[in-house]
Amino acid sequence: MGRKRDFTEREKPGLGRKAKKQEAPSPVVLSMSKKKKAKSAKIIDGEKKKLGSRAKKRLKKRAVKKAEKQQMKTLKQKKKELDKKSDSKPKVSGFTDENQRWLKPTKKRKLPIEDVEKDEEEEEKSGSSGSDGEMMADDFDHADSGSDTDLEIPDEFEDDDSHISDEENSGDDTEEDGEEETIESDDGDDSSADEDAKEMLPIEKASQKLKLKQQRDRKLAEAELQTNISEMERFALPSGQEIEKEVAQPPDLALIQQRIKDVMQVLGDFKTRRENGRTRKEYVQQLKSDLCIYYSYNDFLMEKLMSLFPLEIIEFLEANEVQRPVTIRTNTLKTRRRDLAQVLINRGMNLDPIGKWSKVGLVVYDSQVPIGATPEYLSGHYMLQGGSSFLPVMALAPHENEKILDMAAAPGGKTTYIAALMKNTGILFANDANEVRSKAIVGNLHRMGITNAVVSTHDGRHFPKVMTGFDRVLLDAPCSGTGVISKDTAVKANKDEKDIQRCSHLQKELILAAIDCCDAKSKSGGYIVYSTCSVLVEENEWVIDYALKKRNVKLVSTGLDFGREGFTNFKEHRFHPSLKQTCRFYPHTHNLDGFFVAKLKKFSNKMPNQGNIPNNKTLIVMDTEDSKRTLSPKLKSTKDGQPEAKKVKLDKSSTQKVPKNKSTERVFANKSSHSAVGNEKPNQKNGDLGLKKVTTQILKRVHDKKESMKKYRTAQKVKRKEKSQL
């Protein structure tokens, strides 16, 4: 079949084709010494291996550090020799050529970060592209050159050696450390400054320079500003001719606004900035006229506001030009504020809590739906109410199962808040003199789910005759509305002194009636809260001071955490010191409508004036201003044709009030001298004669005053006729 192969005599295979073509390998001769070859290779299992790139870098750093140490040692030796020479030579005062070397400024080398990064990148690229043998040769050639020949000493070493770290000098002797300390002490503060400069990066140095430049610019700007202020011309008030021209022409609002600012600056530092020959009164008068034109106020109201806010008048007027934020109050009888806010946000309202001082209020910034027509509003979950209207109810602090009166309740915002705090317990009387406005109270009570309220339409001044014995009374008195000018701009021009006096008189009558309705013996109450939406003193502190004099009440804390204290003195007026416990709220400081809140505590049901009249006296009253009111036609006349005096008998049980006027005269006589009308006895002639003398004297005075008034009126009529004829 074929031959069998003999494997015993098989020849060994030789080199392949490729191996035959290649020449024999020749060893590479590197220009390195034996020591370097030993260092550049690792011996593992008796075989040499090449170093990696990182190991090469480490070797390079170590070689550089060793070279630096050697350089520093040589420098120290040179310094020692110089110190010895200086000790042997006599000391010379002043600077010499030998000291010149120490006085040379250090040359700081700037090493930008970009160049360093570029060098590193180039080294990495070259290391990756080039062969390992070439890298080793270059690195170690550089190290050999450093070891064989001395490296150039940088300029930084000439003056300071303090930058040497402890790690580098760990192998040095203690003597060398002592020498370093002496050198540092000789260099002084310059060395410390150089240290900071050396340690800082270039970016830090640049930022430090920029800060210094900014400080210099600020100083120059301040100096320039001060010089400009000192050189600036003083503001001069317009003359009479200029004012006449302005009146004839339409007002220039930009000019008026600038003049307002200038006058305010002058009044801020009147001594230095005023014009010679001008008084403060002239500047204030000009400011008032400009403010009236710019903000459309009348002179009377502007004068009142300037006296209230001498420094904040512009802030107050500007705040009145802006509408207050829309606020709503959560009805806690039907929902919670958190749930209501979530529902309204889902409907497209942007709202937030009104503040920490209220747990039921929300501020609505904007809304995609009408706030007063949502299903939640119609179902009584919330009430549209100003933030300042929360404050009187919070000060009243109603409790459950109490008898409370809201004397001026329309349209019912405060009434519903009181009922919510009472949790529909007790009895709440909502009264308002206006029948038309009382319909709004009924509607809001039904919508909010109030079941403990009674609505009435009595005059608040006569309410004590209807009902008394209330635990707490709230009086939100009708006022001029100077705190809500942002809502009703007509107040700027319509209000005058008569309106303020009329409101103040009505408020005094209402607060006395509210105090009379309250029961001082109440276990949980006896409190009266008085509030107005006005900022004028005549409607606030003046009324409270009047009530303190006329009734047995005292002021207590309102319990409100914010707000300004009330006035205890204003111009020539001096009020009771306890008026500090009242609270004032302003639109420019609290972002609320202007409001005033005071809380009174009644401690006695007796009238202060009633206790002063003795029980065994008879009062004779004659009023000269209105004879028809005091003298009835049924009174008998005396022989002289003058009416008899009216006699009033006062007992402890009676609660009759006697009008006290300047023209009212009071005469007291003992019962022993005379008796009451209808009980006179014929044998008490002396007492009757004394009483007749007194009454006739009073009636004569009244008669004389009436005749003088008639003569005066007739003379005035004659003058008017003459003027009309002319």
Side-chain angles (χ1 to χ4, degrees):
M1 290 294 296
R3 277 192 272 176
K4 295 182 181 179
R5 190 172 180 179
D6 188 8
F7 292 99
T8 56
E9 297 179 357
R10 183 180 177 183
E11 296 181 358
K12 293 182 180 180
L15 298 173
R17 293 180 182 178
K18 292 182 180 179
K20 288 178 182 178
K21 291 178 182 178
Q22 292 177 354
E23 296 179 355
S26 59
V28 179
V29 179
L30 299 174
S31 60
M32 289 193 298
S33 61
K34 293 180 180 180
K35 293 181 180 179
K36 290 177 186 176
K37 286 179 182 179
K39 288 181 182 177
S40 63
K42 290 183 180 179
I43 299 170
I44 301 173
D45 297 333
E47 296 181 359
K48 294 182 180 179
K49 289 189 178 181
K50 294 180 181 179
L51 296 174
S53 61
R54 291 184 181 177
K56 293 174 186 176
K57 289 180 182 178
R58 289 173 197 158
L59 288 172
K60 188 177 179 181
K61 287 180 181 178
R62 289 171 190 167
V64 171
K65 284 183 180 179
K66 285 182 179 179
E68 287 179 355
K69 285 182 182 180
Q70 289 178 0
Q71 291 169 8
M72 296 310 301
K73 286 180 181 179
T74 55
L75 283 171
K76 288 175 184 177
Q77 288 176 0
K78 289 179 181 179
K79 285 179 182 179
K80 285 180 185 179
E81 293 175 359
L82 290 170
D83 291 337
K84 289 178 181 178
K85 290 179 181 179
S86 62
D87 292 338
S88 61
K89 291 181 181 181
K91 293 182 180 180
V92 182
S93 62
F95 298 107
T96 61
D97 293 337
E98 294 177 359
N99 295 329
Q100 190 174 3
R101 187 173 65 85
W102 300 99
L103 297 173
K104 285 183 181 179
T106 58
K107 295 179 183 178
K108 297 178 181 178
R109 293 182 298 174
K110 295 183 179 179
L111 297 173
I113 294 172
E114 295 178 359
D115 298 341
V116 176
E117 291 177 353
K118 287 179 182 178
D119 295 340
E120 290 178 356
E121 289 176 0
E122 289 175 359
E123 287 177 1
E124 289 176 1
K125 289 178 182 178
S126 63
S128 61
S129 61
S131 62
D132 295 337
E134 292 175 358
M135 286 292 296
M136 288 172 62
D138 294 338
D139 294 341
F140 290 106
D141 287 341
H142 179 70
D144 286 337
S145 63
S147 60
D148 296 338
T149 60
D150 294 336
L151 294 173
E152 293 181 359
I153 300 169
D155 296 332
E156 294 176 357
F157 293 112
E158 290 184 2
D159 296 329
D160 191 11
D161 300 329
S162 60
H163 70 287
I164 302 169
S165 62
D166 295 335
E167 294 177 358
E168 294 174 354
N169 296 331
S170 59
D172 297 339
D173 298 329
T174 57
E175 294 178 358
E176 293 178 359
D177 295 337
E179 290 169 2
E180 287 178 7
E181 292 175 2
T182 56
I183 293 166
E184 288 177 358
S185 63
D186 292 337
D187 292 343
D189 297 333
D190 295 336
S191 62
S192 62
D194 293 339
E195 284 178 8
D196 296 337
K198 291 167 191 170
E199 291 175 359
M200 289 171 65
L201 293 171
I203 292 174
E204 292 176 344
K205 292 177 183 177
S207 66
Q208 191 174 8
K209 287 181 181 179
L210 184 62
K211 285 180 182 177
L212 293 171
K213 187 179 178 182
Q214 288 176 352
Q215 288 177 0
R216 287 194 214 104
D217 293 341
R218 274 187 214 141
K219 289 179 181 178
L220 290 171
E222 288 177 1
E224 189 176 356
L225 181 63
Q226 290 176 357
T227 54
N228 290 337
I229 290 170
S230 61
E231 293 175 0
M232 188 173 57
E233 294 182 0
R234 292 181 179 177
F235 170 72
L237 287 172
S239 60
Q241 295 177 354
E242 293 177 354
I243 293 171
E244 290 177 359
K245 288 180 182 179
E246 289 181 4
V247 172
Q249 297 175 356
D252 187 0
L253 296 180
L255 178 64
I256 292 171
Q257 186 181 16
Q258 185 60 40
R259 191 161 59 200
I260 289 168
K261 292 179 181 178
D262 294 336
V263 173
M264 290 295 288
Q265 286 181 355
V266 172
L267 292 174
D269 189 5
F270 188 71
K271 290 183 179 179
T272 57
R273 297 178 183 175
R274 74 185 183 94
E275 186 182 356
N276 293 330
R278 296 283 190 172
T279 60
R280 184 183 290 272
K281 188 177 180 180
E282 293 175 354
Y283 282 95
V284 173
Q285 189 66 28
Q286 183 64 41
L287 179 64
K288 186 178 77 171
S289 61
D290 289 340
L291 290 174
C292 289
I293 295 169
Y294 192 78
Y295 293 102
S296 305
Y297 283 79
N298 59 15
D299 292 339
F300 167 76
L301 189 57
M302 182 57 68
E303 187 176 356
K304 291 285 185 185
L305 295 176
M306 287 179 70
S307 61
L308 275 170
F309 309 103
L311 302 175
E312 302 172 318
I313 180 63
I314 294 175
E315 288 82 358
F316 178 78
L317 297 176
E318 287 290 341
N320 287 335
E321 300 298 316
V322 182
Q323 293 288 333
R324 302 277 79 75
V326 178
T327 56
I328 60 176
R329 178 182 57 80
T330 308
N331 184 11
T332 54
L333 295 174
K334 292 188 175 183
T335 185
R336 294 187 304 171
R337 185 171 69 170
R338 184 182 298 174
D339 300 336
L340 177 65
Q342 188 63 41
V343 173
L344 295 179
I345 288 168
N346 294 335
R347 291 196 181 277
M349 287 190 191
N350 183 14
L351 46 82
D352 278 328
I354 193 171
K356 294 181 180 179
W357 54 272
S358 176
K359 296 181 180 179
V360 294
L362 290 168
V363 181
V364 181
Y365 299 110
D366 55 14
S367 176
Q368 298 177 2
V369 295
I371 302 171
T374 60
E376 287 76 24
Y377 177 81
L378 298 174
S379 60
H381 286 204
Y382 66 89
M383 178 84 176
L384 273 167
Q385 191 174 1
S388 56
S389 298
F390 298 179
L391 304 172
V393 181
M394 293 169 65
L396 186 66
H399 295 168
E400 298 178 18
N401 299 313
E402 283 187 339
K403 185 180 177 183
I404 298 176
L405 169 65
D406 188 357
M407 189 169 278
K414 299 179 184 66
T415 306
T416 54
Y417 193 10
I418 294 170
L421 293 175
M422 294 172 68
K423 298 180 181 178
N424 267 339
T425 60
I427 303 174
L428 174 60
F429 288 85
N431 179 71
D432 198 272
N434 193 341
E435 293 184 5
V436 178
R437 296 190 70 192
S438 62
K439 294 178 181 178
I441 303 173
V442 176
N444 284 320
L445 291 175
H446 283 299
R447 184 173 61 84
M448 303 293 280
I450 308 301
T451 58
N452 65 337
V454 178
V455 181
S456 62
T457 57
H458 292 286
D459 188 351
R461 294 173 289 183
H462 307 303
F463 204 87
K465 297 178 182 178
V466 179
M467 186 178 293
T468 57
F470 292 97
D471 296 319
R472 297 170 194 264
V473 179
L474 174 63
L475 174 60
D476 186 21
C479 60
S480 60
T482 53
V484 289
I485 296 174
S486 59
K487 294 180 180 178
D488 185 11
T489 55
V491 177
K492 295 180 180 180
N494 293 343
K495 299 299 177 183
D496 56 2
E497 191 172 1
K498 289 183 179 178
D499 294 329
I500 304 301
Q501 289 178 354
R502 192 181 301 110
C503 288
S504 179
H505 182 69
L506 177 62
Q507 288 159 0
K508 288 175 182 177
E509 291 180 329
L510 286 171
I511 195 170
L512 293 182
I515 294 168
D516 293 339
C517 289
C518 188
D519 185 11
K521 297 179 181 179
S522 173
K523 294 180 180 179
S524 61
Y527 293 102
I528 304 99
V529 171
Y530 173 82
S531 63
T532 62
C533 55
S534 174
V535 296
L536 300 181
V537 176
E538 290 84 352
E539 300 180 71
N540 297 326
E541 284 86 357
W542 208 331
V543 176
I544 297 297
D545 190 64
Y546 175 81
L548 293 174
K549 293 175 182 177
K550 293 295 181 181
R551 294 292 184 270
N552 291 322
V553 291
K554 62 179 180 180
L555 278 167
V556 294
S557 176
T558 57
L560 301 173
D561 298 334
F562 64 106
R564 293 190 183 179
E565 294 180 352
F567 293 105
T568 55
N569 52 0
F570 181 75
K571 289 188 175 181
E572 70 276 7
H573 305 293
R574 298 294 178 270
F575 304 119
H576 198 272
S578 61
L579 278 163
K580 285 184 177 180
Q581 294 183 340
T582 60
C583 289
R584 280 177 162 268
F585 303 92
Y586 298 126
H588 64 287
T589 55
H590 306 102
N591 200 19
L592 297 171
D593 293 326
F595 228 75
F596 175 82
V597 180
K599 189 174 184 179
L600 298 164
K601 168 71 174 173
K602 188 175 182 181
F603 56 86
S604 177
N605 289 327
K606 293 182 180 180
M607 300 288 180
N609 293 334
Q610 182 181 348
N612 297 331
I613 301 172
N615 190 22
N616 58 348
K617 303 291 181 181
T618 303
L619 181 64
I620 300 172
V621 181
M622 274 301 299
D623 194 348
T624 58
E625 289 183 356
D626 192 0
S627 60
K628 293 180 181 179
R629 184 176 60 190
T630 56
L631 298 175
S632 61
K634 295 181 181 180
L635 290 175
K636 297 179 181 179
S637 60
T638 59
K639 293 180 180 179
D640 299 332
Q642 297 176 352
E644 290 182 349
K646 186 178 179 181
K647 298 181 182 180
V648 182
K649 187 176 180 182
L650 297 178
D651 298 330
K652 288 183 178 179
S653 59
S654 65
T655 59
Q656 186 175 358
K657 292 188 289 184
V658 179
K660 184 179 179 181
N661 299 319
K662 293 182 180 178
S663 60
T664 304
E665 298 183 35
R666 301 182 179 186
V667 181
F668 294 97
N670 290 325
K671 282 185 179 180
S672 59
S673 61
H674 67 277
S675 59
V677 178
N679 293 326
E680 295 181 359
K681 294 182 180 180
N683 55 0
Q684 292 180 349
K685 294 181 180 180
N686 295 330
D688 295 338
L689 291 172
L691 179 61
K692 285 180 180 179
K693 286 181 181 180
V694 174
T695 53
T696 51
Q697 288 176 1
I698 295 170
L699 294 172
K700 281 181 181 179
R701 291 177 188 173
V702 174
H703 187 67
D704 293 340
K705 286 183 180 179
K706 284 184 179 180
E707 288 183 353
S708 63
M709 288 297 294
K710 285 180 182 179
K711 290 179 182 179
Y712 176 75
R713 287 171 184 169
T714 53
Q716 290 292 327
K717 287 180 182 179
V718 172
K719 287 182 180 179
R720 288 172 189 167
K721 287 181 182 179
E722 291 177 355
K723 286 182 180 179
S724 62
Q725 290 175 2
L726 292 172

